[in-house]
Amino acid sequence: MKKYIIITSLLLMTILIWSSCKKDQPIDEDGLLITTRSECYVSNFELLGADFQTVRSKAPVIDTVACTIQQEVFFGTDLKNLWPQFTLVTDAKLDPKITGKVDFSDLANPKKYTVVSGNRQVRKTYTVIITVQK
Amino acid sequence: MRGKYFSYISLVCASLLMATACTKDGDYEVPKPKNELQNDCIKRSLGPNLVGLNIEFAYAIGIPAAKGKLVSAQVVASIPGVQVKPGDQANSATYLQDSSFYTNGSGVDVPVKVGDRSVTKEGANVVTFTKDTNAVTLRYFYRIPEEARGRTVKFTFTATSSNGETVSYDMGPYTIAKMDMKLNLTPTNNNKCYLSIADLALYNAAEAAANPDKIDLVYLYRNLSVQFGHALVAPAAPKDYLPGVTLPANVNRDTKLSKAWNVQDFHLAGLKYGTTFVDDVDFEKLDMSASPDFALGLKEEGGVWVETSDGKYRAYIFVNKVDNTAQSARISIKRYTLK
């Protein structure tokens, strides 16, 4: 009888230890899943005006090697109140986050956004170069 | 000993379970109608209450046939509504409708005249019933007068029956909006193109020169290689945004503008939309500190938020229609006075 109790206890302990060692999926400081993906690029870019309608006069030119996004906007665009939207590769995220309207009016000093890969190991900083239609 | 306790506990638990299981919901009973004159009222109109528009109610009255019939109904507003003046068109002022309605098979409301046309007696709109009726729903249209702007208004609906009974129903208080509204202004390129928010009017160059301190915006249409189209531009905006415009002397105000979409205000857009309203609070919360002084490429059913350079007015301009051939537009404005 005593033997059975010991065996059962041992089994239970093994299960407990095994379950306690099982790791949770890693999560970053934003509560986003850290995955194994190392791809890190912007696949599309959109720019909305104060009325949330596009201000793009052309499709964006995204250079994933030089890490630049060149975007021409309509003549008369309110550059101080723009809402950029980045489409990123799976699992990647953007830094800084876009939380509201962004002032792009300083055309001489383009805004920079960093794309962070799914495994959080690769970081690429893109420069958003805005030109106004003439 | 232990077994005894167990049996007690089990008994208590079982009783509790049975008690909860046996708790019956209250049986539904068909409500018994009150054997007296009764009334009820709902507000039918939606959105902010603007001076010059109606607040509409439906007032229902009923009495059991054995008790008598309806004699009269009346409404008293705490601030009297606009009253009919000689020469006014019918239904252009505050009145209590003299008809009850039923909806026919095609979904059309068909009126049944039940009383005399409403008359105003000592601030009350009164309908005296001429039909031998004991249940009606009358509609009440309160045309909001200028005196009510920014104030609250209450209504007391009253009905009397042939057996001497009287019932009343209070509605409100309802806040009357501070804002003004102007519908269907038609600015035209290079002609009636100077817009005054203060006057809610359009001027040509000569008139603008006579009122330079009132001109807030210039309407222009340009078909250029860049997107320009229909635009509203402050006189003080960079010349690039006023191509070919020679401003009259002293027209130089720097109005702020912010384009908007999906703000198809029900009052400004007409009966096409029914869920969006620009209200006083929208103007109060508006932050235009970082807005530019031009809005190019305006589209039909789009709009522009406006703040005048002296900070006296905020407005919302809705673009009802644009016409590239006639080089004109049709716009409607709601204006809120800040100072």
Side-chain angles (χ1 to χ4, degrees):
Chain A
M1 183 67 181
K2 201 176 177 183
K3 191 177 154 194
Y4 282 123
I5 292 171
I6 291 166
I7 290 168
T8 316
S9 311
L10 270 172
L11 268 171
L12 276 170
M13 277 178 76
T14 316
I15 291 166
L16 273 170
I17 291 164
W18 179 76
S19 63
S20 68
C21 288
K22 193 183 163 196
K23 275 176 84 180
D24 286 329
Q25 292 276 19
I27 285 172
D28 71 2
E29 69 280 6
D30 295 321
L32 298 170
L33 208 60
I34 299 172
T35 64
T36 53
R37 286 175 191 273
S38 58
E39 293 93 339
C40 185
Y41 60 89
V42 174
S43 56
N44 197 13
F45 180 71
E46 175 62 280
L47 209 50
L48 304 178
D51 54 355
F52 302 109
Q53 301 291 295
T54 187
V55 295
R56 297 187 321 181
S57 59
K58 286 179 182 167
V61 178
I62 302 168
D63 189 331
T64 52
V65 178
C67 291
T68 55
I69 301 169
Q70 297 198 37
Q71 180 63 65
E72 187 189 86
V73 298
F74 288 125
F75 177 74
T77 296
D78 171 12
L79 294 172
K80 285 189 175 176
N81 295 293
L82 292 177
W83 194 297
Q85 292 181 338
F86 293 82
T87 308
L88 307 178
V89 65
T90 311
D91 296 344
K93 67 172 194 172
L94 199 68
D95 181 33
K97 298 179 192 75
I98 294 159
T99 54
K101 284 168 183 165
V102 181
D103 185 350
F104 279 94
S105 58
D106 188 359
L107 298 178
N109 296 302
K111 294 257 173 220
K112 291 179 191 291
Y113 289 90
T114 302
V115 183
V116 186
S117 67
N119 62 9
R120 307 291 183 262
Q121 303 298 309
V122 187
R123 296 172 69 88
K124 284 189 181 175
T125 302
Y126 278 72
T127 307
V128 181
I129 302 156
I130 307 272
T131 50
V132 181
Q133 191 184 33
K134 282 178 185 168
Chain B
M1 185 66 180
R2 199 177 277 174
K4 196 177 163 190
Y5 279 124
F6 266 124
S7 61
Y8 279 131
I9 293 166
S10 312
L11 263 173
V12 170
C13 285
S15 328
L16 274 171
L17 274 169
M18 281 177 77
T20 51
C22 291
T23 305
K24 278 177 82 180
D25 289 330
D27 283 333
Y28 176 76
E29 282 180 25
V30 177
K32 284 178 186 153
K34 290 180 190 168
N35 195 25
E36 61 192 27
L37 178 65
Q38 290 175 77
N39 62 356
D40 200 353
C41 192
I42 56 164
K43 181 171 175 279
R44 295 191 81 216
S45 51
L46 298 173
N49 307 306
L50 267 84
V51 172
L53 296 184
N54 285 338
I55 308 180
E56 187 184 340
F57 297 91
Y59 180 50
I61 326 157
I63 185 168
K67 300 277 282 187
K69 58 178 184 173
L70 301 177
V71 171
S72 69
Q74 68 165 47
V75 190
V76 179
S78 59
I79 303 168
V82 175
Q83 299 298 319
V84 183
K85 295 186 201 85
D88 276 354
Q89 285 190 329
N91 304 347
S92 64
T94 300
Y95 71 105
L96 183 61
Q97 207 158 30
D98 52 13
S99 302
S100 198
F101 287 81
Y102 71 91
T103 309
N104 70 9
S106 312
V108 178
D109 284 353
V110 181
V112 179
K113 199 166 158 57
V114 292
D116 287 331
R117 190 175 166 77
S118 81
V119 291
T120 308
K121 287 181 193 164
E122 294 161 5
N125 289 94
V126 186
V127 163
T128 307
F129 294 105
T130 50
K131 280 268 172 73
D132 194 359
T133 183
N134 63 327
V136 293
T137 299
L138 301 181
R139 290 180 191 175
Y140 174 62
F141 299 87
Y142 176 76
R143 182 61 60 98
I144 303 167
E146 184 59 46
E147 307 89 78
R149 189 186 296 280
R151 296 166 66 190
T152 56
V153 61
K154 290 190 280 188
F155 302 92
T156 305
F157 292 78
T158 310
T160 53
S161 57
S162 60
N163 63 348
E165 279 186 87
T166 302
V167 280
S168 281
Y169 204 101
D170 291 327
M171 294 294 279
Y174 301 102
T175 304
I176 307 301
K178 286 183 189 168
M179 59 190 168
D180 294 297
M181 189 168 72
K182 183 82 177 180
L183 300 177
N184 301 330
L185 291 170
T186 48
T188 46
N189 193 32
N190 298 329
N191 185 17
K192 285 267 185 189
C193 59
Y194 297 97
L195 176 64
S196 165
I197 299 292
D199 293 352
L200 290 175
L202 289 162
Y203 297 118
N204 60 24
E207 292 162 338
N211 301 287
D213 55 333
K214 287 184 177 174
I215 303 304
D216 296 296
L217 290 167
V218 185
Y219 162 81
L220 60 160
Y221 172 77
R222 297 287 183 273
N223 186 13
L224 306 176
S225 59
V226 295
Q227 179 192 273
F228 202 101
H230 300 265
L232 284 167
V233 183
K239 293 293 163 205
D240 288 352
Y241 303 125
L242 290 162
V245 174
T246 309
L247 292 168
N250 301 322
V251 172
N252 55 10
R253 304 192 92 189
D254 196 12
T255 312
K256 286 185 170 166
L257 297 150
S258 178
K259 284 166 81 174
W261 189 251
N262 274 340
V263 190
Q264 286 133 333
D265 179 85
F266 179 72
H267 292 133
L268 302 179
L271 294 172
K272 220 164 157 188
Y273 306 98
T275 53
T276 306
F277 291 95
V278 171
D279 205 345
D280 283 0
V281 69
D282 296 308
F283 293 114
E284 287 157 13
K285 285 184 175 172
L286 202 61
D287 178 11
M288 300 197 62
S289 52
S291 297
D293 50 8
F294 53 87
L296 312 185
L298 296 177
K299 294 184 179 72
E300 225 165 81
E301 303 193 356
V304 191
W305 295 101
V306 179
E307 185 174 307
T308 57
S309 58
D310 54 6
K312 191 174 177 188
Y313 299 109
R314 282 182 183 159
Y316 177 68
I317 301 175
F318 181 77
V319 182
N320 298 92
K321 196 168 174 47
V322 291
D323 188 338
N324 294 356
T325 316
Q327 302 193 352
S328 72
R330 184 155 61 80
I331 59 173
S332 297
I333 306 173
K334 270 187 176 176
R335 179 193 67 176
Y336 182 81
T337 309
L338 281 170
K339 295 177 186 172

